[in-house]
Amino acid sequence: MHVVDAGGFSFTPAPHAACSPVRSPAAAGRIQAPAPAERMASSGLQTKKRDNHNGHFVQPTNPNVATMQEDVLYHFHLSTSTHDLPAMFGDVKFVCVGGSPTRMEAFTKYMAKELGLDHPGAEYPNICVGTDRYVMFKVGPVLSVSHGIGIPSTSVMLHELIKLLYHARCSDVTVIRIGTSGGIGLEPGSVVITRQAVDASFKPVFEQMVLGKRVVHRTHLDERLAQELMQCGADLREFPTVLGNTMCTSDFYEGQGRLDGALCSYSEKDKQEYLEAAHAAGIRNIEMESSVLAAMCGACGLQVAVVCVTLLNRLEGDQVNSPHEVLVEYQERPQRLVGHFIKKRLAAAGNPRDL
């Protein structure tokens, strides 16, 4: 068994390239028949250059990325040879990810209003319009990306997102998952800020098979960032906000001890004992993406957090049966908290709209 500790891979402090003004993807992103020099400037080979500005840069741990003539981000429908990634994304400071494409588009519109960037007739085009795998929206320094359901889909998105941020020469980036979850011992509508992402055995690790071997990654999350988000919840005073461990599973039904799936190999007593043990271990919610997010972002020097609302208390049932309008409002709670956090960060940096 090979153990990889996220703390063992750190970002590379380096000078920072000045942020380019961001134009619309249609106007600025796609490079039309670039000359050889222009093509080289937009390639992965050139992204290793850094100008004189201090910052903590996103740094993939894969050394092959820096030597690629072209890097095709296939599931985003983007490429270093056809898109000017520094111009499109160089000013990104916050990346908010969530499972639902609709939710991430709504978050973009919400942030546009909160940052004073919205105006009548404003449109926020999907940057990944050439694919139906993921959606991506940008407003100011905030990038919103969908990741689908579960670890595999999230992992694919993160590989390409991290490389995108690297090629765009982004620095001091914070990644936050805003999503939904099942609570353990919490009232529906509570917002959980993850202290530690754990697996179904309550261990703070993420396991995967690589070349036939089991590799175990640590899943540390930034404690100061979690506390900062907790303070934002206290500032708002709109809904219960708690700090607790989050259990990440590979399945929605049996993997989370539900009794209502097509398959069930355990009793209700078994389920209750398991969930009560999880609660005793400090776990306050269950979802399906936090561990891979913590492992991959931590390895590449990204400050990362997970903020999820609970849709039900799993100690009391398995099915999400609240009225639709109630669930919609619940899902807006992490958005409001993270929006408040972003505005505070920007204000502290001296500019309410940018860093």
Side-chain angles (χ1 to χ4, degrees), residues 177 179-183 190 192 284-287 308-312:
R177 165 165 148 73
T180 60
S181 64
S190 301
V192 179
R284 294 297 176 265
N285 64 333
I286 312 173
E287 46 87 87
C308 289
V309 69
T310 61
L311 301 183
L312 75 166

Side-chain angles (χ1 to χ4, degrees), residues 32-208:
Q32 298 295 332
E38 294 171 334
R39 183 178 293 274
M40 180 67 74
S42 67
S43 74
L45 288 175
Q46 294 297 309
T47 59
K48 294 189 292 183
K49 292 185 177 180
R50 300 291 188 258
D51 295 333
N52 295 322
H53 188 165
N54 291 331
H56 295 156
F57 283 86
V58 180
Q59 185 66 51
T61 64
N62 177 10
N64 297 313
V65 175
T67 62
M68 297 171 66
Q69 291 289 340
E70 177 185 16
D71 193 356
V72 178
L73 308 179
Y74 172 72
H75 300 90
F76 286 165
H77 198 67
L78 298 171
S79 168
T80 55
S81 67
T82 58
H83 294 80
D84 188 347
L85 299 183
M88 294 173 69
F89 303 104
D91 66 340
V92 168
K93 298 296 180 182
F94 306 95
V95 180
C96 297
V97 301
S100 164
T102 302
R103 189 187 309 144
M104 300 321 296
E105 182 177 15
F107 179 71
T108 299
K109 294 176 180 179
Y110 173 75
M111 287 309 306
K113 293 179 182 179
E114 291 295 294
L115 297 179
L117 300 174
D118 192 31
H119 57 83
E123 295 183 354
Y124 307 98
N126 174 17
I127 298 170
C128 297
V129 68
T131 178
D132 59 0
R133 294 293 183 182
Y134 305 103
V135 298
M136 179 185 295
F137 305 95
K138 185 178 183 299
V139 58
V142 183
L143 190 66
S144 301
V145 189
S146 68
H147 57 58
I149 296 178
I151 289 172
S153 179
T154 303
S155 172
V156 172
M157 184 279 293
L158 286 173
H159 275 283
E160 297 187 13
L161 172 66
I162 291 167
K163 292 196 297 174
L164 182 154
L165 297 172
Y166 168 73
H167 291 308
R169 306 167 194 167
C170 296
S171 67
D172 302 314
V173 177
T174 298
V175 178
I176 304 178
R177 165 165 148 73
I178 51 177
T180 60
S181 64
I184 301 182
L186 298 176
E187 289 299 312
S190 301
V191 173
V192 179
I193 297 167
T194 303
R195 174 188 284 116
Q196 197 169 48
V198 302
D199 65 10
S201 299
F202 312 159
K203 297 176 183 177
V205 296
F206 164 62
E207 297 186 16
Q208 65 178 149

Side-chain angles (χ1 to χ4, degrees), residues 266-333:
Y266 43 83
S267 68
E268 182 172 3
K269 180 176 181 292
D270 295 332
K271 165 205 163 180
Q272 287 299 121
E273 289 178 350
Y274 178 69
L275 294 180
E276 288 169 4
H279 187 271
I283 296 169
R284 294 297 176 265
N285 64 333
I286 312 173
E287 46 87 87
M288 298 173 62
E289 295 85 17
S290 58
S291 64
V292 68
L293 188 80
M296 292 185 64
C297 290
C300 296
L302 287 158
Q303 195 177 39
V304 61
V306 179
V307 181
C308 289
V309 69
T310 61
L311 301 183
L312 75 166
N313 181 359
R314 287 297 315 288
L315 294 177
E316 298 178 355
D318 295 333
Q319 297 206 325
V320 179
N321 52 19
S322 296
H324 175 72
E325 61 273 15
V326 173
L327 294 175
V328 170
E329 195 279 325
Y330 284 171
Q331 292 177 42
E332 292 173 349
R333 293 181 179 187

